[in-house]
């Protein structure tokens, strides 16, 4: 995009943003939601500014985008509300226990490949061969990642017995 295009977009934005935000507020019924819709509409306009700059009514195009975005969001919210009305609100999630916090902190200190292998093996009960297929490495590599990951976790979590690292309760 040339500097001239950027300047014409800036001019378009300055001359239309106030009206567009008011329109977004009227459509969405909420100022914060309107800001999100308008920001997304201007982002789309910027990406297409080369062709939109010659559009006979770029501001009308922008309003159409805001309207469609608002409709899409309303549909998603309506779908969520329908699901909640059928199933009820999700239960409150309890805060993680101390063991979980310690384990997550320890896992963050492992290399990504070891974390991935441990998660697939213990959280998804995947056998070594399946992990190898999914990650595209030999089974021996996966075994090495699991072994090294367990060893490092044992070092990072000295109070945890090694048998506890073998259970599927690593969430």
């Amino acid at each position: 995009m040339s500097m001239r295009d950027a300047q014409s977009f800036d001019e378009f934005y300055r001359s239309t943003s106030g009206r567009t935000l008011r329109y977004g507020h009227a459509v969405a019924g909420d100022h914060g939601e309107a800001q999100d819709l308008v920001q997304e509409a201007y982002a789309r306009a910027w990406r297409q500014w080369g062709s939109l700059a010659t559009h006979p009514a770029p501001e009308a195009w922008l309003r159409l985008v805001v309207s469609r975005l608002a409709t899409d969001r309303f549909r998603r919210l309506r779908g969520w509300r329908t699901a909640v009305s059928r199933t009820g609100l999700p239960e409150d999630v309890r805060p993680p226990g101390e063991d979980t916090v310690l384990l997550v902190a320890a896992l963050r200190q492992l290399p990504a490949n070891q974390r991935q292998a441990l998660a697939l093996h213990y959280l998804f009960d995947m056998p070594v061969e399946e992990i190898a297929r999914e990650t595209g490495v030999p089974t021996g590599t996966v075994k090495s990642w699991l072994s090294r990951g367990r060893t490092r976790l044992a070092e990072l979590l000295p109070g945890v017995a090694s048998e506890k690292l073998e259970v599927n309760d690593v969430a």
Side-chain angles (χ1 to χ4, degrees), residues 32 90 94:
R94 294 178 300 130

Side-chain angles (χ1 to χ4, degrees), residues 77-116:
L77 279 174
R78 189 175 63 206
W80 185 82
R81 286 186 189 119
T82 301
V84 166
S85 70
R86 290 182 185 154
T87 61
L89 288 171
E91 292 181 29
D92 288 340
V93 177
R94 294 178 300 130
E98 184 181 347
D99 289 346
T100 301
V101 172
L102 293 172
L103 179 57
V104 169
L107 284 167
R108 285 186 179 142
Q109 296 181 52
L110 299 179
N113 54 12
Q114 292 176 17
R115 277 196 317 266
Q116 180 184 20

Side-chain angles (χ1 to χ4, degrees), residues 59 122 154:
E59 190 172 2
Y122 292 108

